[in-house]
Amino acid sequence: MVDVDQQVDVLIVGAGPTGLTLALTLARYGISFEIIDRKTTPSNNSRAIGIQPRTIEVFSRLDVAKEVLDRARTIEKGNLYFSGQWTAKLEFSRLVTPYPFVTLLRQNETEAILERALNAHGHEVKRGESLMSLTHYPSRVLAHLESDSSRTRTVEAKYVVAADGANSSIRRMLALPFSGKSFKESWVLADMKARWNISREEVHIFFSDRGVLEVFPLTDDTIRITGNLANDEAFSESRLRELVEQRSHMPVDIDEVEWFSLFRVHNRMVDAFIHNRVILMGDAAHINSPVGGQGMNTGIADSFNLGWKLWLHLKAGAPFRVVATYRDEREHVARNVLQTTNVATEVLQTTLPVLLPFQALGADVFTRVNLINQKITERIAQLHLSYPSHSRVPFQRVAEGKIFPEIEMIRTDDGMRQKISEVADGRFQVLVLDDGARDSTELYDYLNTHQAYFQIITLSKTSRPFFDQGNELAKSLFMRRGVLVIRPDGYLLHKQRHLRVAPFRDTMREWLPYA
C-alpha cells in the first residue's frame, strides 16, 4: 500500500496561462485540485503577448476581462508594408464581438492576473515542485512529486492534467509521439525601447526581400519585433537596428533591449489529448508557429472547454463520455490552428524579390474586400472556430456548435445593457424567448427542477431581470419564440423555435445524468 499525502479530484501540472485558467475554472466550480509548477517564482518574461477577442470573451466569463483590458493595449488595425511602402490594412474593429480588437499584454502580466483571481478563491500555486513519476490505476493516478528542497510527497488524483508546456515531462513519461514539422529558418524576437516614427496604436508588418518584420507596440516607448532569418544566418543582438531598418526602410533608434531571443518554429501535435486519466492541453498537446498569436489563446480555450466538463463529471455525476468530448472538440480545433499557422508561416517566410509585387497586389486587393478582410481577422481572433454539430445549417450565424454571439440584454431595474457573458455563472445559460402566445409551464417546471445546472434567462417585452426592448433581440435572432441553450464556454448547444420541453430534454440527456 502506497502512502498518500493528499487526495484531490484534479492535479494540474504547470502554472502558465493554460494551467491557471483551468485552476480558476475548477475553483469557481468548487472542484478539489492542486496546481504545481517546477519554477520557484512566477515568470518575468513577456513571451506571448497577443490575446485574441475570443479569449477576452472567455476571460469575461471568468471575471478577469476588465483587469486584463485595464492593463493592456488594444489594437484595432494592422498595417501591411511591401518594400517599405504602405500597402494594406487589416481591420479588427469590424469583428462581431464586444471586443473588436487584439489585446497586447505581456504573458507574465496575464499570468499574474489569473493567479490573483485564483488566490481570491482561496487557492495558490504550489511552486518549486516537479512531477517525478506517475502510477496509473483504473480509477485514479498517483503522482509522485519532489520539491526544490528534495522533499517528496504523493498526491492521489482522479485526473492529472498536463499543462507543462512544449517540453512536457508528462508527455515524455507517456512516450507520446509529438508529430508534425519544424521549419528550417530561425526567428529573432526582441522587446525594446525604441524611438521610431510609426503609430503605437497599430500593428505593423513589413515584407521585404530580406525577410518579414512584425512590430507590436507594448507601451508608448516599448515594442516587440519578430522576424525570420536565413537558414545559415548568424545573428546577434547588436544587429537589431540593422534588421529593423533594412526591412522597414525606416530609421530607428534603439535605446534599450529588454529581451532578446532566437527561436525555431514548430508545428506539432500529440495523437490524442486524453490517455486514460491523463489529459493534455496547451503546448503540452500542441505547439504552432507564433504567427497570428494563436498558441496561448488555444491553450486557454482548451482549459475552459475541459473545466466545465469536469464539473459535470465530478460534481453532477455525468459519464466520462462528457469529458471525452474535450478530446474530440479540442483536437479538431488544434488541427485547424496548426494548418492555418503553417500556411501563414510559409507565406511570411517567402522572400523571393520577384514575388513581392504580386504579394503586395494580392494584399491590396484582398483587404479592400470587406468580406475577405473580416474572414482573415475572424480567423486571427479565433471567432471562426466551431465544433462538429449534426444539425448545422450552412452560413447560419447563430448555429449549434458555433460561438454564440455576445448579445447585450437590457436590465429591467436601470435600463442599462449587459453582455450575456457578464452575467454567466458557470451553468448552462437557457435563453427563453417567450412571446406569451404558447403555454410554457412544462418547460419552466423542468428548468426550475434542475436549477443547479441551468441559468434561466427569459427574454420578452416585460420579463425580469432582463427584457427585450421592442423585440430587438428576438428579431436579430430571427426567432419570435424558442429556446437557446448556451454551454458554459459560450458555444450554442441547442436551438429550437418553440417552447416544448421534449427536444430540449433530449439534448440535455447527452450531458446530464438525471435526464
Side-chain angles (χ1 to χ4, degrees):
M1 178 69 69
V2 178
D3 290 332
V4 173
D5 298 288
Q6 187 173 1
Q7 291 180 314
V8 293
D9 286 330
V10 182
L11 173 66
I12 305 168
V13 181
T18 299
L20 288 168
T21 299
L22 178 60
L24 181 56
T25 305
L26 298 182
R28 288 164 61 87
Y29 282 121
I31 294 171
S32 67
F33 69 91
E34 268 220 347
I35 176 170
I36 65 169
D37 196 281
R38 61 180 178 80
K39 300 185 184 73
T40 56
T41 59
S43 171
N44 58 5
N45 288 333
S46 55
R47 291 179 292 173
I49 59 171
I51 305 176
Q52 303 299 348
R54 171 56 190 159
T55 302
I56 300 296
E57 292 181 2
V58 169
F59 284 168
S60 178
R61 289 175 175 267
L62 291 172
D63 293 331
V64 294
K66 184 179 185 304
E67 186 175 359
V68 168
L69 294 176
D70 285 346
R71 294 177 174 272
R73 175 156 296 214
T74 56
I75 304 294
E76 295 183 354
K77 303 177 189 297
N79 296 288
L80 306 181
Y81 305 78
F82 289 81
S83 301
Q85 299 296 312
W86 180 90
T87 304
K89 191 180 290 289
L90 291 174
E91 296 276 0
F92 291 92
S93 58
R94 298 171 184 161
L95 291 169
V96 183
T97 171
Y99 313 103
F101 42 74
V102 173
T103 302
L104 299 182
L105 185 67
R106 293 176 172 90
Q107 181 175 324
N108 57 306
E109 295 186 56
T110 301
E111 291 175 0
I113 291 170
L114 292 169
E115 189 164 356
R116 281 195 295 272
L118 182 63
N119 296 158
H121 282 273
H123 296 272
E124 62 180 26
V125 178
K126 300 293 176 62
R127 298 193 178 277
E129 281 199 295
S130 299
L131 176 67
M132 305 308 295
S133 64
L134 294 171
T135 304
H136 302 266
Y137 296 94
S139 61
R140 61 195 175 115
V141 181
L142 295 185
H144 309 286
L145 312 178
E146 183 176 346
S147 71
D148 58 330
S149 60
S150 299
R151 184 177 68 89
T152 62
R153 67 186 182 110
T154 299
V155 174
E156 179 185 298
K158 293 175 183 174
Y159 294 96
V160 171
V161 175
D164 51 345
N167 297 313
S168 170
S169 61
I170 294 180
R171 192 180 63 236
R172 291 198 301 271
M173 287 176 194
L174 298 177
L176 300 179
F178 207 29
S179 305
K181 64 177 292 186
S182 297
F183 289 86
K184 295 179 181 178
E185 295 85 352
S186 293
W187 284 65
V188 58
L189 177 153
D191 291 346
M192 55 195 189
K193 294 186 184 298
R195 285 169 283 137
W196 194 3
N197 189 28
I198 59 171
S199 167
R200 300 304 172 98
E201 304 299 324
E202 300 176 344
V203 167
H204 307 272
I205 303 177
F206 297 90
F207 295 85
S208 74
D209 58 1
R210 306 297 290 269
V212 69
L213 173 71
E214 300 176 302
V215 182
F216 307 91
L218 294 176
T219 66
D220 288 341
D221 61 352
T222 305
I223 59 173
R224 154 77 58 90
I225 66 114
T226 60
N228 63 313
L229 304 172
N231 291 349
D232 56 351
E233 184 177 359
F235 194 88
S236 64
E237 184 178 322
S238 62
R239 292 183 56 198
L240 280 172
R241 178 175 177 176
E242 174 192 351
L243 178 141
V244 171
E245 292 187 339
Q246 282 183 343
R247 299 187 184 191
S248 69
H249 297 263
M250 298 170 64
V252 63
D253 290 311
I254 299 174
D255 297 323
E256 178 187 352
V257 178
E258 296 179 350
W259 186 32
F260 171 79
S261 178
L262 298 176
F263 65 92
R264 294 273 301 278
V265 171
H266 307 276
N267 272 8
R268 298 185 177 278
M269 178 174 158
V270 295
D271 61 341
F273 287 11
I274 299 179
H275 290 265
N276 298 318
R277 289 185 169 267
V278 177
I279 303 173
L280 293 92
M281 57 174 46
D283 288 353
H286 49 79
I287 56 173
N288 54 266
S289 165
V291 171
Q294 302 295 292
M296 178 180 71
N297 295 274
T298 306
I300 288 170
D302 288 347
S303 296
F304 204 49
N305 181 290
L306 178 65
W308 65 271
K309 294 172 180 177
L310 287 173
W311 163 59
L312 292 181
H313 177 56
L314 296 170
K315 287 287 191 179
F320 177 76
R321 58 179 168 76
V322 167
V323 179
T325 63
Y326 162 79
R327 175 188 59 213
D328 303 330
E329 293 179 349
R330 297 312 298 174
E331 286 177 8
H332 168 78
V333 165
R335 278 191 291 268
N336 185 303
V337 171
L338 260 64
Q339 290 168 2
T340 299
T341 55
N342 185 57
V343 171
T345 304
E346 294 283 10
V347 170
L348 287 180
Q349 292 185 162
T350 301
T351 57
L352 295 176
V354 70
L355 293 180
L356 278 173
F358 299 100
Q359 290 174 313
L361 178 62
D364 183 30
V365 171
F366 286 152
T367 55
R368 287 180 186 272
V369 179
N370 287 341
L371 180 62
I372 297 177
N373 198 314
Q374 185 162 345
K375 290 298 181 184
I376 293 172
T377 52
E378 275 183 359
R379 189 165 286 271
I380 295 171
Q382 296 199 341
L383 295 172
H384 72 296
L385 296 171
S386 60
Y387 299 137
S389 171
H390 298 300
S391 58
R392 177 80 53 78
V393 177
F395 310 114
Q396 195 173 26
R397 176 171 168 249
V398 181
E400 295 168 5
K402 285 187 175 183
I403 299 168
F404 189 75
E406 274 277 33
I407 61 172
E408 290 185 326
M409 303 173 296
I410 301 176
R411 291 200 301 246
T412 308
D413 56 353
D414 58 10
M416 298 298 290
R417 292 180 176 270
Q418 195 162 17
K419 299 179 186 70
I420 191 165
S421 66
E422 292 174 338
V423 302
D425 62 7
R427 294 176 292 173
F428 290 91
Q429 291 179 300
V430 182
L431 270 61
V432 182
L433 301 178
D434 190 351
D435 61 359
R438 297 288 188 277
D439 182 14
S440 55
T441 303
E442 188 179 5
L443 173 67
Y444 281 108
D445 285 346
Y446 180 81
L447 291 172
N448 288 322
T449 301
H450 305 292
Q451 283 196 51
Y453 309 111
F454 298 132
Q455 180 186 15
I456 308 163
I457 302 174
T458 300
L459 286 171
S460 67
K461 294 179 181 179
T462 59
S463 54
R464 303 184 70 88
F466 301 99
F467 70 98
D468 188 9
Q469 180 174 294
N471 284 340
E472 177 184 331
L473 179 58
K475 290 175 183 176
S476 71
L477 297 172
F478 302 102
M479 294 176 66
R480 289 180 55 195
R481 75 180 66 86
V483 179
L484 297 156
V485 183
I486 304 166
R487 303 183 346 171
D489 57 1
Y491 280 79
L492 184 64
L493 175 64
H494 176 74
K495 176 181 178 182
Q496 64 183 52
R497 296 180 179 275
H498 53 78
L499 301 180
R500 295 194 300 273
V501 72
F504 168 68
R505 187 171 52 216
D506 289 344
T507 296
M508 297 315 302
R509 282 191 178 125
E510 296 294 317
W511 298 91
L512 297 170
Y514 64 81

